[in-house]
Amino acid sequence: MKMLFKSLFAATSLVTISLSMTTRAEMVRPQAVNQVDIQKYGGKWYEISHLPMYFQRKCIANITAQYSVNADQTIGVLNSCRTANDEMVSSEGVAYPQNRGNSKLKVSFLPKGLRWIPFTKGHYWVLRVDPEYKVALVGGPSNKYLWILSREPQLDEATYQSYINTAKDYGYDVTKLIKLPH
């Protein structure tokens, strides 16, 4: 009886520890980096992969983002991609810094005169960026959106996996990532 009690206690302890570790892992929310130098962040980025989303549904290749710093410290955004009919399409927007470190932005792709409308801006958080601003992981406060960006159209597998692991640590379902050619 004493041995059965010890075995039951050990099993219960293992299950409790396992559940508490899972709960802690599931509670990890995406965190933006403290600081982004928006001058260094500006320029052309190639999308290496992204989570599926409605507004990228027609893109089949060559997805890029071009960022430029405006005089008022907002960031001009020009997203482009190639569609199935071999057409290059683009969408122009503006990003508004939401913190002093410029790592949390809100982006609007509405026409200029409509950007004041509440709840029409999407989150754009820089979750990780290498010191030389060559690779970035971008998401938001939820696990709904995710992009891996690079200054080059190709990214070596070790670096890519490192950024995938960061995304996993933040609770993203990286099995759903879409990787399109350049």
Side-chain angles (χ1 to χ4, degrees):
M1 183 69 156
K2 193 174 187 180
M3 191 60 133
L4 178 62
F5 179 76
K6 282 183 180 180
S7 295
L8 261 168
F9 179 78
T12 303
S13 296
L14 282 174
V15 167
T16 303
I17 290 169
S18 174
L19 286 174
S20 69
M21 288 174 69
T22 301
T23 304
R24 253 186 257 123
E26 289 173 355
M27 290 189 332
V28 173
R29 292 274 187 213
Q31 296 293 315
V33 297
N34 291 329
Q35 180 79 35
V36 170
D37 182 331
I38 59 174
Q39 297 297 329
K40 288 182 182 177
Y41 199 81
K44 187 173 188 174
W45 290 87
Y46 295 89
E47 180 187 282
I48 302 303
S49 61
H50 70 272
L51 285 179
M53 60 198 63
Y54 182 76
F55 60 86
Q56 284 187 283
R57 70 194 180 286
K58 293 181 180 178
C59 296
I60 63 157
N62 303 331
I63 301 175
T64 61
Q66 180 78 33
Y67 303 116
S68 57
V69 181
N70 299 322
D72 64 357
Q73 296 304 296
T74 60
I75 299 165
V77 179
L78 180 63
N79 291 338
S80 301
C81 74
R82 184 164 307 285
T83 63
N85 62 1
D86 206 34
E87 178 185 2
M88 284 300 288
V89 295
S90 61
S91 182
E92 194 170 339
V94 65
Y96 305 89
Q98 301 296 298
N99 66 344
R100 291 183 68 160
N102 296 311
S103 61
K104 293 181 180 181
L105 307 168
K106 287 260 184 136
V107 182
S108 174
F109 289 96
L110 288 177
K112 210 174 220 178
L114 298 176
R115 291 181 183 156
W116 61 270
I117 299 173
F119 309 110
T120 60
K121 296 174 186 75
H123 292 282
Y124 183 105
W125 287 11
V126 179
L127 306 175
R128 180 178 171 191
V129 64
D130 76 301
E132 295 176 6
Y133 287 78
K134 291 184 177 184
V135 183
L137 181 69
V138 177
S142 73
N143 300 105
K144 201 160 50 168
Y145 304 113
L146 183 70
W147 296 270
I148 296 177
L149 306 175
S150 172
R151 294 293 187 174
E152 300 296 325
Q154 310 303 320
L155 187 60
D156 69 90
E157 192 59 28
T159 302
Y160 182 68
Q161 286 304 317
S162 173
Y163 278 75
I164 293 284
N165 289 337
T166 300
K168 275 187 206 174
D169 291 344
Y170 282 138
Y172 285 95
D173 183 355
V174 297
T175 64
K176 294 182 179 178
L177 280 171
I178 298 170
K179 204 172 185 181
L180 297 173
H182 282 278

